[in-house]
Amino acid sequence: MSTTETSAPGPAAAGGADLRERTEQTIAAFNAHDAAAFASCCSEDTVVEDAAAPELLRGRAAVQRDAERVLAGMPDAHLQLQEYLVDGAVTAIRVLVVGTHNGPMPMPTGEVPATGRRVETPMGIFSRHDEDGSSRGGGRGNGHACVWRCSGSVNGGKERPS
């Protein structure tokens, strides 16, 4: 994991949930390509908004299907935690999505065919948490940048410049 910055301006989450640990478990599940374990970090009634997802993600099963969609398009995908912020029961993280676009990627505007290009793109993830630390939902930003880089529309599909 890369160097991260942490801030905790607000009170701890209800029930004493360790949201940092929960966040790291969620990232580890994704990096292990375990979509079910990744989704299990969400509550059953979670709602996640992601402009790169074909539809609003409602419920744990939808989060699992979305993780499977991303992993099918980038089978070696992993997340690198860059920054972690918490305010009460709300977390905001910045991750770097890294992978190779070796499979089709369904998008709201249609399927992006595999290009074989390596991708590194930042993403922000904002979550509200239950008392037990489960994510009740939130939003993810900059997912389209990943697809634009996969397709070669940004930076010629090359790796992120240094």
Side-chain angles (χ1 to χ4, degrees):
M1 188 181 319
S2 64
T3 304
T4 60
E5 296 178 30
T6 303
S7 173
D18 183 345
L19 296 182
R20 173 66 183 240
E21 182 177 325
R22 187 69 168 207
T23 298
E24 289 176 353
Q25 289 171 350
T26 304
I27 290 171
F30 183 87
N31 289 346
H33 297 173
D34 188 341
F38 175 77
S40 74
C41 295
C42 297
S43 65
E44 280 292 341
D45 60 349
T46 193
V47 178
V48 178
E49 185 175 356
D50 184 343
E55 59 191 27
L56 191 64
L57 306 176
R58 293 184 183 277
R60 190 178 290 158
V63 171
Q64 180 174 338
R65 285 190 304 274
D66 188 62
E68 291 166 348
R69 171 187 71 88
V70 171
L71 292 168
M74 293 193 310
D76 63 343
H78 64 278
L79 305 176
Q80 296 174 358
L81 183 60
Q82 302 290 303
E83 189 170 11
Y84 173 84
L85 303 167
V86 62
D87 188 359
V90 177
T91 58
I93 65 171
R94 184 172 52 89
V95 296
L96 187 64
V97 181
V98 180
T100 309
H101 184 212
N102 285 331
M105 184 77 70
M107 296 296 295
T109 56
E111 189 172 271
V112 177
T115 63
R117 291 186 172 102
R118 184 91 174 140
V119 177
E120 290 187 18
T121 191
M123 178 184 284
I125 303 170
F126 307 91
S127 301
R128 293 176 313 281
H129 299 270
D130 283 340
E131 289 185 11
D132 70 354
S134 296
S135 174
R136 294 212 30 93
R140 299 186 292 213
N142 216 17
H144 272 98
C146 178
V147 175
W148 294 329
R149 288 187 184 192
C150 288
S151 67
S153 301
V154 173
N155 196 27
K158 298 177 184 169
E159 290 189 31
R160 191 173 65 143
S162 314

